[in-house]
Amino acid sequence: DTEVTQTPKHLVMGMTNKKSLKCEQHMGHRAMYWYKQKAKKPPELMFVYSYEKLSINESVPSRFSPECPNSSLLNLHLHALQPEDSALYLCASSQEAKTYGYTFGSGTRLTVV
Amino acid sequence: AQSVTQPDIHITVSEGASLELRCNYSYGATPYLFWYVQSPGQGLQLLLKYFSGDTLVQGIKGFEAEFKRSQSSFNLRKPSVHWSDAAEYFCAVLIRGNYGGSQGNLIFGKGTKLSVKP
């Protein structure tokens, strides 16, 4: 298995809702990432987990809450989002990033109404 | 500050023509460089990477890139473009740090949109 799987592919949520994005990989990668990509912009790093511990939080608002339950799973919990949070949320994983790069999932298209 | 610049926002080429997408980076240490491709609404697919050794690297789908340290460039090339190559292309540099292991932050350029004329 050489893929990163993200669910759901599309999500529409209200500003008072609580939802979660899920990411899964079975490549044995020990680092996992959340990126946010606005339309016509490059991806921007949100969080990095290394060996299931949060190692980078790029000053992301607390309405985004990451969780890494085990080495294969990465969740992003969403609460009280704003319309400007609408974007494509990409998950990625890596083992030796310099050698192999990151493997990205196909993303969750989030719309906040 | 570390950064990646892709000077061309949008490029249109005819099918069968050659392609070169430009990328310049700013990074103090030896850079680890990548090219990714993204189709509309999709994730990113790794085309190729450079971290040491031969400065001309081969990737998937017939793409290649050349690392030129003197010019701080890592341009992507393809000798003959196919209609299916139409997509957004991102150059990226890995910003390394004490994040645990060899992980880091992948910094992307703003991207170049490639359109292919029949």
Side-chain angles (χ1 to χ4, degrees):
Chain A
D1 188 352
T2 59
E3 289 186 345
V4 173
T5 303
Q6 290 187 243
T7 54
K9 294 196 180 303
H10 300 275
L11 178 62
V12 179
M13 62 184 291
M15 289 188 284
T16 59
N17 292 158
K18 287 184 179 181
K19 296 288 185 183
S20 297
L21 309 184
K22 181 180 174 181
C23 173
E24 192 167 5
Q25 57 90 13
H26 296 287
M27 295 176 281
H29 290 176
R30 302 316 299 266
M32 296 185 76
Y33 313 79
W34 281 115
Y35 277 80
K36 175 182 179 179
Q37 186 179 23
K38 300 282 284 183
K40 302 187 186 304
K41 298 289 186 182
E44 294 182 341
L45 183 68
M46 299 175 72
F47 302 104
V48 179
Y49 272 83
S50 181
Y51 292 86
E52 300 162 49
K53 293 184 179 178
L54 183 64
S55 59
I56 298 177
N57 176 342
E58 290 288 328
S59 302
V60 179
S62 59
R63 56 185 184 270
F64 295 91
S65 175
E67 178 196 21
C68 189
N70 59 56
S71 60
S72 299
L73 279 175
L74 184 65
N75 298 320
L76 186 62
H77 302 299
L78 314 173
H79 173 55
L81 295 193
Q82 304 296 311
E84 59 265 29
D85 296 321
S86 298
L88 181 67
Y89 288 84
L90 294 163
C91 176
S93 69
S94 71
Q95 186 59 4
E96 287 287 328
K98 67 173 184 174
T99 308
Y100 303 109
Y102 293 9
T103 301
F104 282 86
S106 57
T108 294
R109 174 73 61 188
L110 174 67
T111 304
V112 182
V113 298
Chain B
Q2 305 96 339
S3 65
V4 176
T5 302
Q6 293 179 248
D8 303 306
I9 296 173
H10 189 184
I11 284 182
T12 300
V13 299
S14 297
E15 190 167 16
S18 64
L19 170 70
E20 182 169 29
L21 301 182
R22 296 183 291 165
C23 172
N24 293 97
Y25 67 89
S26 173
Y27 190 60
T30 300
Y32 298 158
L33 297 161
F34 306 83
W35 275 99
Y36 282 86
V37 61
Q38 185 178 35
S39 297
Q42 298 298 309
L44 290 91
Q45 182 181 23
L46 179 65
L47 287 176
L48 45 76
K49 57 191 179 292
Y50 170 81
F51 60 95
S52 69
D54 195 346
T55 56
L56 184 64
V57 293
Q58 303 296 321
I60 62 171
K61 305 185 179 187
F63 286 93
E64 67 177 25
E66 185 171 13
F67 171 63
K68 293 185 178 180
R69 185 185 299 274
S70 61
Q71 299 177 19
S72 298
S73 69
F74 188 55
N75 294 346
L76 182 71
R77 300 194 293 249
K78 187 170 185 178
S80 178
V81 169
H82 188 262
W83 64 267
S84 60
D85 293 324
E88 189 89 24
Y89 290 80
F90 291 98
C91 181
V93 63
L94 183 67
I95 306 300
R96 305 183 292 286
N98 189 25
Y99 303 135
S102 65
Q103 315 315 328
N105 183 3
L106 202 58
I107 301 291
F108 290 88
K110 293 187 183 297
T112 298
K113 182 178 180 180
L114 174 66
S115 297
V116 181
K117 291 190 300 185

